[in-house]
Amino acid sequence: MLPLRRTLATCSLTHTRQRLLRASRVLPAGAQAISAHRPLTGRLPMQSRQYSHAARRTIDHSKPPHRHVSEPPTTPSFITSLAHTGVLPSVGIERNASAAHLYACALRYEQGTVISSAGALVARSGKKTGRSPKDKRVVEETSTVNDVWWGPVNKKLSEESFAVNHQTAMDYLNTRDRLYVFDGYAGWDPKYRIKVRVVCARAYHALFMNNMLIRPTPEELENFGEPDFTIINAGQFPANRFTKGMTSPTSVAISFERKQMVILGTEYAGEMKKGVFTVMHYLMPKAGALSLHSSCNEGPNGDVSLFFGLSGTGKTTLSADPQRLLIGDDEHVWTDRGVFNIEGGCYAKTIDLSADKEPEIFDAIRFGSVLENVVHDENGIVDFSDKSITENTRCAYPIEFIPNAKVPCIGGHPKNIVLLTCDAFGVLPPVAKLTSAQAMYHFISGYTAKIAGTEEGVTEPVATFSACFGQPFLVWHPVKYAQMLAQKMQQHDVNVWLVNTGWSGGVYGVGRRISLKYSRAIIDAIHSGELENAEYTNYGVFNLQIPTKVTNIPEKVLDPSQAWEGTTAEFSQTIAKLAGLFHTNFEQYATQATPDIISASPQI
């Protein structure tokens, strides 16, 4: 009898290979095939030529770029390990190529790609400009079936369907003239890090993961060996929606047993980044370490702060503080030795970005960075206020591009934890000090608003609850992460704060977004110790302790009931509505929560 993979592949070849042969010159959405002997159209922006000289120098318009392979060369062990993925030996491989070479390939083969006036590679992700959580699947396997929190976050996929998707992806990738492979690490602590391999067909994707993973030294690359996890990105080619478990042409599927992730039908690079995070969210608790959707920085005295929050709540912005060292902007692990960053770079939102408001991020946009889905003029000057493609415009850059980054990205145990929320109702205070029970209640609840553009179809803030401030990436039940956090908070006597970066004065559409300068002032007051010694007053319904004064913030802003611009009755109705949503959401966790955590819920 034929092996399962071969049997499934044989059954699907009649349809799959015919589609692949017809699509053998498939490029990103809207692109046209470019002949190897056809000159490139367009010019490099004048302002960017000083940055892109190396990239332009490698382009020969009379023939394809040289088959670049970084030192060390493709050793027999590398070829063997890559063959296990399904890559044919006849395919040209670009392994851990330099940024300059990836620029050259992207400019030649990926239409719409340019170099910005600041030197960043500007790329388009096609139709998908955000993650597709409804298309995420986890393979139901004997070894992990009892570990996974099955439901709307982790939808089941059969091993057979995963094998079909894997074969479809490999059939597509093996028709390409060139593939890009990046081998790197997830996790700065050598005790916990994992080896990750990315196989893709776009130079943009390779450069993106070069920035987001931890880049190996030449010696580490030479001795890389078998990866612990492999991402197979064939996002230019759609999934077969008739495959069992598929509901659209997009599929993002993870097999913990096979140690692989397969992407079909989406070219949004963020799927790879969050795929690695999902893997770490599974592996780290098994190793006794707590994985966290948080940013992290360190003060001059070594005091570490964690910032929890979903995309758009301010994790990246508020942790990029010129007075503190940046450990990381999005994904961390808390061990018995302290905290470490999972990533080797940052993935910052750039909508309305300016040098005045976010100078560290603005200055990180230069040669080697990847700008996604931004609008620019003929000179490569980016208009960061333009939302015509998406509101989810972003930049991926190595963490070293932040001048005050701490490398290696490792710190001690946290002194402060900040739970960031983006309240679309306008009734949560800009800052509140939480008790231990309240901290666990709000961590498990994970209230925020989905910000426009972070997910497909979201065009305005929508109130939502995301367990552990990272529900889309959880693998275990939320209570497991919460229990681990409670133990560490108690062990290290951590201060916990609820900080609202959302609306004030009214609901979304009526009130205003809380000023970034106020949010920064609050974080400064936390780090200086001002809020630890401040006077507090009780804030009704949610039973929160809010400060009466914070330096550089009007007192009226600190109390939502005072900042409210509507009637008292409207405020009471609105806060009661939000409290009711909290109660309804927490019902699913009540049976596993302790009485003191339940008592921390809003009082209706």
Side-chain angles (χ1 to χ4, degrees):
M1 180 176 290
L2 291 172
L4 173 62
R5 174 177 167 184
R6 188 175 174 187
T7 303
L8 291 169
T10 302
C11 293
S12 65
L13 284 182
T14 301
H15 302 289
T16 303
R17 287 198 185 275
Q18 287 179 358
R19 288 195 299 156
L20 289 165
L21 290 172
R22 288 195 300 269
S24 63
R25 293 295 175 190
V26 170
L27 289 172
Q32 297 177 348
I34 300 177
S35 167
H37 300 286
R38 175 183 170 190
L40 289 173
T41 58
R43 296 181 303 164
L44 297 174
M46 288 295 294
Q47 290 93 329
S48 67
R49 290 182 183 175
Q50 60 179 313
Y51 297 96
S52 57
H53 175 71
R56 291 187 295 109
R57 185 180 56 204
T58 62
I59 298 177
D60 182 343
H61 298 303
S62 66
K63 60 183 179 180
H66 171 65
R67 291 273 198 270
H68 175 86
V69 178
S70 297
E71 293 295 335
T74 50
T75 60
S77 61
F78 168 74
I79 296 298
T80 300
S81 65
L82 195 61
H84 293 164
T85 306
V87 176
L88 297 179
S90 58
V91 179
I93 302 296
E94 312 273 2
R95 186 191 187 196
N96 285 53
S98 67
H101 183 77
L102 293 174
Y103 267 57
C105 292
L107 290 168
R108 172 174 287 278
Y109 299 110
E110 299 171 21
Q111 186 168 327
T113 302
V114 301
I115 301 177
S116 79
S117 60
L121 184 73
V122 179
R124 298 285 180 86
S125 66
K127 179 181 177 182
K128 302 280 187 174
T129 57
R131 290 183 294 103
S132 300
K134 294 180 180 178
D135 297 308
K136 174 189 171 186
R137 300 290 186 272
V138 175
V139 180
E140 183 179 15
E141 295 157 323
T142 304
S143 60
T144 60
V145 66
N146 295 324
D147 297 337
V148 180
W149 180 39
W150 299 109
V153 173
N154 298 301
K155 301 182 183 74
K156 294 181 179 180
L157 184 71
S158 69
E159 295 181 65
E160 292 79 8
S161 292
F162 183 86
V164 171
N165 281 0
H166 178 274
Q167 188 64 48
T168 298
M170 294 318 306
D171 282 347
Y172 170 76
L173 292 175
N174 282 325
T175 65
R176 304 300 88 195
D177 291 331
R178 68 198 58 76
L179 294 180
Y180 306 94
V181 173
F182 182 77
D183 288 338
Y185 299 105
W188 280 89
D189 189 331
K191 179 180 177 180
Y192 295 94
R193 74 181 184 183
I194 66 170
K195 296 181 290 184
V196 179
R197 171 165 294 163
V198 179
V199 182
C200 56
R202 291 195 64 181
Y204 143 55
H205 288 156
L207 183 58
F208 177 92
M209 291 306 284
N210 172 82
N211 290 349
M212 298 314 302
L213 289 173
I214 299 166
R215 294 156 290 284
T217 65
E219 182 180 358
E220 288 172 334
L221 186 61
E222 185 176 7
N223 300 302
F224 195 79
E226 289 283 345
D228 298 310
F229 209 87
T230 301
I231 297 174
I232 301 167
N233 189 342
Q236 298 98 307
F237 199 78
N240 187 334
R241 65 177 64 201
F242 295 106
T243 301
K244 185 177 180 180
M246 297 297 99
T247 55
S248 81
T250 299
S251 174
V252 180
I254 295 175
S255 168
F256 290 112
E257 198 166 278
R258 292 178 58 154
K259 301 179 181 179
Q260 292 179 339
M261 174 182 181
V262 174
I263 299 173
L264 291 166
T266 174
E267 297 174 64
Y268 181 64
E271 295 288 9
M272 295 183 288
K273 164 190 160 63
K274 289 305 185 184
V276 173
F277 188 37
T278 301
V279 171
M280 293 294 277
H281 249 333
Y282 176 68
L283 296 178
M284 291 300 99
K286 285 179 74 73
L290 176 59
S291 47
L292 304 166
H293 189 213
S294 67
S295 58
C296 182
N297 64 24
E298 180 181 277
N301 298 320
D303 57 298
V304 171
S305 290
L306 288 174
F307 299 78
F308 288 89
L310 288 175
S311 297
T313 57
K315 289 195 320 300
T316 298
T317 300
L318 294 175
S319 57
D321 185 335
Q323 305 304 316
R324 297 173 66 84
L325 297 177
L326 179 69
I327 294 177
D329 80 325
D330 194 44
E331 304 169 5
H332 292 82
V333 175
W334 192 352
T335 73
D336 56 0
R337 307 198 292 194
V339 295
F340 68 82
N341 187 359
I342 291 174
E343 301 180 297
C346 302
Y347 191 36
K349 289 178 69 69
T350 60
I351 196 69
D352 294 324
L353 179 69
S354 71
D356 292 334
K357 287 194 283 187
E358 299 173 89
E360 293 82 15
I361 296 173
F362 189 87
D363 291 341
I365 300 175
R366 58 181 192 259
F367 181 80
S369 299
V370 178
L371 277 169
E372 280 184 326
N373 300 316
V374 297
V375 177
H376 56 83
D377 65 16
E378 62 181 6
N379 294 315
I381 298 175
V382 176
D383 181 358
F384 290 109
S385 66
D386 195 317
K387 307 173 184 177
S388 58
I389 298 176
T390 178
E391 289 199 35
N392 191 34
T393 56
R394 288 183 177 265
C395 183
Y397 49 86
I399 195 164
E400 301 95 302
F401 282 18
I402 297 295
N404 58 330
K406 183 182 181 182
V407 180
C409 304
I410 300 174
H413 296 288
K415 178 181 178 181
N416 290 291
I417 290 178
V418 179
L419 305 182
L420 293 164
T421 183
C422 174
D423 175 30
F425 288 83
V427 295
L428 286 183
V431 60
K433 187 174 184 179
L434 303 182
T435 65
S436 178
Q438 288 175 329
M440 297 318 303
Y441 180 85
H442 284 278
F443 178 72
I444 294 173
S445 297
Y447 167 68
T448 191
K450 290 180 181 177
I451 302 299
T454 56
E455 291 184 10
E456 184 185 14
V458 178
T459 58
E460 63 180 40
V462 178
T464 187
F465 292 88
S466 183
C468 308
F469 289 94
Q471 181 169 309
F473 322 116
L474 301 183
V475 180
W476 302 86
H477 192 282
V479 171
K480 183 178 182 67
Y481 301 96
Q483 290 172 339
M484 294 181 72
L485 180 62
Q487 292 171 358
K488 290 188 175 295
M489 284 169 46
Q490 182 178 12
Q491 182 180 356
H492 299 287
D493 193 25
V494 183
N495 295 317
V496 185
W497 313 87
L498 180 68
V499 173
N500 173 27
T501 61
W503 276 258
S504 176
V507 299
Y508 170 79
V510 176
R512 296 173 298 280
R513 189 81 189 257
I514 293 173
S515 171
L516 177 59
K517 68 178 181 180
Y518 292 159
S519 296
R520 287 195 187 279
I522 288 169
I523 300 303
D524 288 343
I526 290 173
H527 289 149
S528 69
E530 176 186 341
L531 283 183
E532 192 170 0
N533 301 309
E535 293 184 5
Y536 289 84
T537 185
N538 186 266
Y539 179 64
V541 182
F542 280 84
N543 196 30
L544 298 172
Q545 296 298 302
I546 61 175
T548 57
K549 292 182 180 181
V550 178
T551 301
N552 295 324
I553 300 179
E555 293 182 20
K556 181 180 179 180
V557 174
L558 297 173
D559 187 339
S561 64
Q562 299 298 315
W564 191 263
E565 297 178 357
T567 66
T568 302
E570 289 173 337
F571 178 81
S572 298
Q573 291 172 358
T574 304
I575 197 170
K577 179 180 179 181
L578 181 58
L581 292 174
F582 266 88
H583 275 274
T584 300
N585 172 73
F586 206 79
E587 288 175 359
Q588 61 186 308
Y589 311 116
T591 57
Q592 299 186 52
T594 60
D596 61 326
I597 293 178
I598 295 175
S599 68
S601 62
Q603 306 303 308
I604 299 179

